[in-house]
Amino acid sequence: MNLVAKEFVASREDERGTLILSTFTGAARELFRCATGQSLRRLTARGCIHRALEMSEEEQSTRMQRMRNNVREHNIYRWAAHLLSDLTEIRIEIPERVETPQLS
């Protein structure tokens, strides 16, 4: 579901449309945060759908631009860079090797 939401945002070159996500989806936190300081999270499902249908084209465009920028910036390359950076900070303690006597 996360990728479907982000694919929808990435594909909206006309910057129109609204995206309604359950708060239980992983993409919701990331995309709600960037859409505007005033999210629709606190509305009921019915209220959210009504608000989305009544939203002006200007507000749709503003929200979509912000979400598209977020999706563009937080891509797989950024994720991989963070992963590799985090891995370089991991230090593994290797216990000293104890030599065992060889039987002849």
Side-chain angles (χ1 to χ4, degrees):
M1 193 64 185
N2 292 332
L3 289 180
V4 173
K6 291 179 179 184
E7 287 168 355
F8 171 76
V9 169
S11 69
R12 297 306 307 190
E13 292 179 1
D14 62 358
E15 296 178 344
R16 295 186 62 203
T18 56
L19 177 65
I20 300 172
L21 294 173
S22 165
T23 56
F24 299 109
T25 62
R29 184 174 55 202
E30 181 180 350
L31 294 175
F32 279 143
R33 187 178 27 186
C34 71
T36 67
Q38 189 178 35
S39 77
L40 306 177
R41 279 189 290 188
R42 304 202 193 289
L43 298 176
T44 62
R46 180 180 174 193
C48 194
I49 292 168
H50 183 269
R51 175 77 174 87
L53 292 170
E54 297 292 321
M55 190 177 291
S56 71
E57 287 186 22
E58 183 181 341
E59 185 176 357
Q60 287 180 28
S61 180
T62 300
R63 288 174 178 265
M64 191 60 70
Q65 285 173 6
R66 290 180 180 167
M67 288 188 291
R68 284 174 56 83
N69 287 336
N70 182 274
V71 169
R72 189 178 302 114
E73 291 175 14
H74 295 87
N75 57 34
I76 187 68
Y77 303 109
R78 185 175 182 156
W79 174 84
H82 284 288
L83 175 66
L84 293 173
S85 175
D86 290 348
L87 287 175
T88 62
E89 294 178 12
I90 295 175
R91 301 284 183 246
I92 299 173
E93 296 295 325
I94 301 174
E96 285 187 40
R97 187 174 179 171
V98 178
E99 297 289 326
T100 56
Q102 296 290 328
L103 297 176
S104 23

